Amino acid sequence: QVQLVESGGGLVQPGGSLRLSCAASGIIFRVYAMNWYRQAPGKQRELVAGLTSGGDTNYNDSVKGRFTISRDNARNTVYLQMNSLKPEDTAIYYCNAKRTRRGTSNYWGQGTQVTVSS
């Protein structure tokens, strides 16, 4: 029913940029908060950036000023523009859709690998 499909990950050199996309289907996209999480090997999953249905943003301190989350409700897609990438940004990045009405609906993408290395 619900599917979040991520794209845009890959290998990039330090200082480079990537743009992740997450296309959602099976949900009323505009009413969901959309988030990007990441998990590096041996580390806990952490929130990278969040964007509410009302347009409020939230960023992990480690990415502030470098990453930008945005959404296109007409395309049911959320983006994560990642600039000035650092090796410590290397992780699997996950798209998340969350809705806290009529209980909690919480959906996840499959994850996409981002590797920052020279």
Side-chain angles (χ1 to χ4, degrees), residues 10-33:
L11 175 65
V12 65
Q13 293 185 343
S17 297
L18 285 173
R19 189 195 195 205
L20 305 183
S21 298
C22 173
S25 60
I27 62 172
I28 305 175
F29 182 83
R30 60 179 171 83
V31 306
Y32 277 76

Side-chain angles (χ1 to χ4, degrees), residues 6 10 13 22 25 31 46 49-51 60 76 84 88-89 101:
E6 298 151 324
Q13 293 185 343
C22 173
S25 60
V31 306
E46 64 178 359
L51 178 56
N60 189 297
N76 289 357
S84 302
E88 50 263 46
D89 295 318
R101 298 291 187 277

Side-chain angles (χ1 to χ4, degrees), residues 13-94:
Q13 293 185 343
S17 297
L18 285 173
R19 189 195 195 205
L20 305 183
S21 298
C22 173
S25 60
I27 62 172
I28 305 175
F29 182 83
R30 60 179 171 83
V31 306
Y32 277 76
M34 299 299 299
N35 308 288
W36 288 97
Y37 288 80
R38 68 185 180 189
Q39 187 166 26
K43 297 184 178 180
Q44 293 185 352
R45 183 186 65 189
E46 64 178 359
L47 178 68
V48 179
L51 178 56
T52 71
S53 61
D56 296 320
T57 59
N58 181 42
Y59 294 96
N60 189 297
D61 285 343
S62 67
V63 307
K64 285 182 179 177
R66 300 188 296 121
F67 291 11
T68 302
I69 188 171
S70 62
R71 65 193 295 161
D72 186 342
N73 288 339
R75 292 179 169 84
N76 289 357
T77 301
V78 63
Y79 306 94
L80 185 67
Q81 179 66 47
M82 305 186 294
N83 299 324
S84 302
L85 283 161
K86 304 174 180 179
E88 50 263 46
D89 295 318
T90 296
I92 301 175
Y93 284 71
Y94 297 92

